[in-house]
Amino acid sequence: QVQLVESGGGLVQPGGSLRLSCVTSGFAFDKYAMSWARQAPGKGLEWVAAITTDGAITWYADSVKGRFTISRDNVKNTAYLQMDNLKPEDAALYFCAKDIDIARPPTKTDGTWGQGTQVTVSS
């Protein structure tokens, strides 16, 4: 079956870095664009970044531009989110997803989503 499994979250101080991974299986990974979204406590889902099948085009939310980098390895069937200069407002549960449209507000009813990995930013 289709699986997306996020990892790499944890506790980091403001200004620190984390790299999230999304290991996938059960589908032709290289035929799908991939996206990352996040949900802070008490808040709705927010698109963070997206990448085309070959990695040629990327998109970022204004709030993370210049700090986050999305990438993918089509041999390892894995998507990544490198997060640098983390801020307290970046604290959230981070999800990867496929079969979604970042032009629309994110919803779990569309596409396929992982279960998320927690990122905490605190001194």
Side-chain angles (χ1 to χ4, degrees):
Q1 73 277 21
V2 173
Q3 288 190 280
L4 290 75
V5 181
E6 302 95 335
S7 64
L11 174 65
V12 65
Q13 296 183 20
S17 298
L18 286 172
R19 188 180 78 157
L20 308 184
S21 297
C22 175
V23 178
T24 74
S25 60
F27 67 99
F29 179 79
D30 62 350
K31 303 301 182 184
Y32 289 84
M34 296 295 296
S35 299
W36 286 93
R38 66 187 181 187
Q39 186 168 27
K43 304 294 181 63
L45 284 164
E46 174 192 17
W47 291 124
V48 174
I51 189 168
T52 54
T53 56
D54 60 357
I57 304 173
T58 57
W59 173 91
Y60 300 94
D62 287 343
S63 58
V64 306
K65 284 181 180 177
R67 300 188 298 118
F68 289 13
T69 304
I70 188 171
S71 62
R72 65 190 297 156
D73 186 331
N74 285 355
V75 174
K76 296 182 177 180
N77 296 330
T78 302
Y80 303 94
L81 186 68
Q82 177 67 43
M83 305 185 296
D84 297 321
N85 191 23
L86 282 160
K87 303 176 179 180
E89 52 263 43
D90 295 318
L93 187 64
Y94 282 74
F95 302 91
C96 65
K98 76 179 189 73
D99 284 335
I100 50 78
D101 182 2
I102 61 170
R104 303 185 301 172
T107 170
K108 293 287 188 68
T109 62
D110 294 334
T112 303
W113 296 68
Q115 293 191 332
T117 185
Q118 181 66 233
V119 172
T120 302
V121 185
S122 176
S123 299

